[in-house]
């Protein structure tokens, strides 16, 4: 069964769940005036909160794709990443350079996570 969760402005669903797997659409920073570190922390906090709302957490993330307007800023992103993901629960990951994500937006992130079985 496919469950579409959290409609977003009529264009897509923020999350689609299928057989306990959560497919999470693009998350962008709420404050595009922040530097890469600030935007990365913002997006990762949003992901953590979204997962919590859905009964999951960052330890259940399987894969992340990061779209960045400047791959030279990966070190700043990685510092934020390490602050949010425990080494024992690092997901598979890819970073892709893109030309534009919107005014001031330095990154967008998608994720795939599992929803732990309900006790």
């Amino acid at each position: 069964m496919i469950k579409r969760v959290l409609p977003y402005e009529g264009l897509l669903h923020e999350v689609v769940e299928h057989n306990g797997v959560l497919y999470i659409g693009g998350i962008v920073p709420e404050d595009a005036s922040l530097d890469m570190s600030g935007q990365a922390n913002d997006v990762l906090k949003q992901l953590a909160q979204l997962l919590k709302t859905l009964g999951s957490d960052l330890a259940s993330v399987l894969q992340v794709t990061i779209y960045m307007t400047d791959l030279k800023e990966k070190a700043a992103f990685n510092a934020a990443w390490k602050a949010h993901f425990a080494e024992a629960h690092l997901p598979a990951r890819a970073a892709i350079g893109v030309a534009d994500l919107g005014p001031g937006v330095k990154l967008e992130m998608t994720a795939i996570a599992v929803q732990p079985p309900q006790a």
Side-chain angles (χ1 to χ4, degrees):
M1 179 173 123
I2 296 173
K3 180 178 177 185
R4 286 162 173 75
V5 185
L6 303 172
Y8 182 74
E9 297 180 13
L11 298 173
L12 54 100
H13 281 80
E14 189 174 2
V15 179
V16 173
E17 183 269 330
H18 179 67
N19 290 335
V21 179
L22 302 168
Y23 299 87
I24 300 165
I27 301 172
V28 297
E30 293 176 342
D31 184 353
S33 70
L34 297 171
D35 63 7
M36 176 56 83
S37 178
Q39 288 194 25
N41 277 304
D42 180 353
V43 167
L44 290 163
K45 285 178 186 173
Q46 286 184 63
L47 176 61
Q49 183 58 44
L50 178 60
L51 289 167
K52 182 178 179 183
T53 300
L54 297 168
S56 192
D57 57 25
L58 290 175
S60 299
V61 175
L62 303 174
Q63 191 269 336
V64 172
T65 303
I66 307 119
Y67 303 90
M68 301 173 72
T69 57
D70 186 353
L71 289 174
K72 292 177 186 163
E73 293 195 80
K74 253 169 72 168
F77 179 86
N78 286 338
W81 178 266
K82 288 177 183 178
H84 291 271
F85 283 99
E87 191 170 333
H89 299 288
L90 290 171
R93 179 183 120 173
I96 301 167
V98 297
D100 183 38
L101 293 168
V105 177
K106 296 177 177 288
L107 74 136
E108 182 171 352
M109 197 167 71
T110 64
I112 299 171
V114 292
Q115 203 168 29
Q118 302 300 319

